Amino acid sequence: KQEVTQIPAALSVPEGENLVLNCSFTDSAIYNLQWFRQDPGKGLTSLLLIQSSQREQTSGRLNASLDKSSGRSTLYIAASQPGDSATYLCAVPSNAGGTSYGKLTFGQGTILTVHP
Amino acid sequence: NAGVTQTPKFRILKIGQSMTLQCTQDMNHNYMYWYRQDPGMGLKLIYYSVGAGITDKGEVPNGYNVSRSTTEDFPLRLELAAPSQTSVYFCASSPWGTDTGELFFGEGSRLTVL
């Protein structure tokens, strides 16, 4: 059974700092990994989707890397801003190595607070 | 575009009552999902559907039922509500449902069972 763990559970940083969020998964035979953002009281918004053939994916100040062999992914946020404050979740297909029909297994999330 | 719409946004139920959470998407996606999120936890899959008329159980289906009579709608039924079903429920849809697809989420329905 696929399990996903995110470290740290919470992170508080001053504005402008570069930061790294970590995600690990137990079964490395995944097709992709997604990072989501969740604002308080809102749904999830997909930030980045990394295919298994890729090692990283970039969108603006966000960069996500994937190391399948070690079962890890990192989300790097450059020059953090107060507007980046949210919960960040990573997720992988539930049936690693098989067809998941889009079913995902989520980590518990990292709560990020960026203070001015 | 509306995307994925969930109703109601908030609901309080008494133990033993029943209700239906509504989910509608206007993107013509075949794949739809119901997840629940408990405080400090990630999302857990309740049920999913790969097309109209086809549904299957996820990780935590007990106490819930679903139907998928149209591509657009995927309601989640709670029978005999229990305090353990207090949670935030998210509906999501996907254009391909394969392992390369992106998920689109609704804003959630917060349910409290007292």
Side-chain angles (χ1 to χ4, degrees):
Chain A
K1 178 184 174 184
Q2 180 74 271
E3 294 181 358
V4 180
T5 304
Q6 291 187 244
I7 295 174
L11 183 63
S12 180
V13 300
E15 182 177 6
E17 196 163 293
N18 301 325
L19 56 98
V20 174
L21 307 181
N22 297 292
C23 172
S24 61
F25 45 94
T26 54
D27 192 330
S28 62
I30 59 171
Y31 289 107
N32 60 46
L33 181 143
Q34 293 189 52
W35 282 94
F36 293 88
R37 169 182 173 139
Q38 184 178 27
D39 293 298
K42 299 292 186 181
L44 281 70
T45 300
S46 181
L47 295 173
L48 291 165
L49 171 67
I50 312 175
Q51 302 295 350
S52 59
S53 58
Q54 299 173 314
R55 289 195 63 85
E56 63 178 54
Q57 190 72 262
T58 298
S59 176
R61 294 182 293 106
L62 305 180
N63 177 276
S65 67
L66 175 63
D67 184 345
K68 281 183 56 177
S69 61
S70 67
R72 294 179 183 176
S73 176
T74 61
L75 180 66
Y76 175 84
I77 302 177
S80 60
Q81 303 171 358
D84 294 329
S85 298
T87 298
Y88 292 82
L89 299 100
C90 66
V92 296
S94 299
N95 294 348
T99 300
S100 294
Y101 301 106
K103 296 179 291 181
L104 297 180
T105 298
F106 286 82
Q108 76 277 26
T110 294
I111 302 172
L112 173 64
T113 303
V114 181
H115 48 88
Chain B
N1 288 339
V4 179
T5 303
Q6 293 183 234
T7 57
K9 294 190 184 308
F10 303 93
R11 182 71 185 269
I12 298 176
L13 282 180
K14 294 182 179 179
I15 294 173
Q17 288 185 320
S18 300
M19 75 160 298
T20 299
L21 299 178
Q22 302 291 345
C23 176
T24 299
Q25 53 92 7
D26 62 358
M27 297 173 283
N28 201 33
H29 290 171
N30 282 324
Y31 296 82
M32 296 187 73
Y33 312 85
W34 275 105
Y35 287 90
R36 61 176 285 174
Q37 184 178 35
D38 298 314
M41 306 291 288
L43 280 71
K44 293 189 183 298
L45 182 66
I46 305 171
Y47 270 95
Y48 70 102
S49 171
V50 302
I54 306 170
T55 62
D56 205 351
K57 297 177 181 178
E59 185 180 359
V60 289
N62 292 343
Y64 307 94
N65 278 301
V66 294
S67 60
R68 185 93 183 273
S69 57
T70 66
T71 298
E72 295 78 18
D73 300 310
F74 190 41
L76 177 71
R77 177 82 177 164
L78 281 73
E79 304 282 1
L80 299 175
S84 61
Q85 293 178 304
T86 294
S87 189
V88 181
Y89 293 83
F90 290 99
C91 180
S93 71
S94 173
W96 304 288
T98 68
D99 294 300
T100 60
E102 182 179 354
L103 283 191
F104 298 83
F105 281 84
E107 294 204 339
S109 297
R110 186 177 296 275
L111 175 67
T112 301
V113 181
L114 300 175

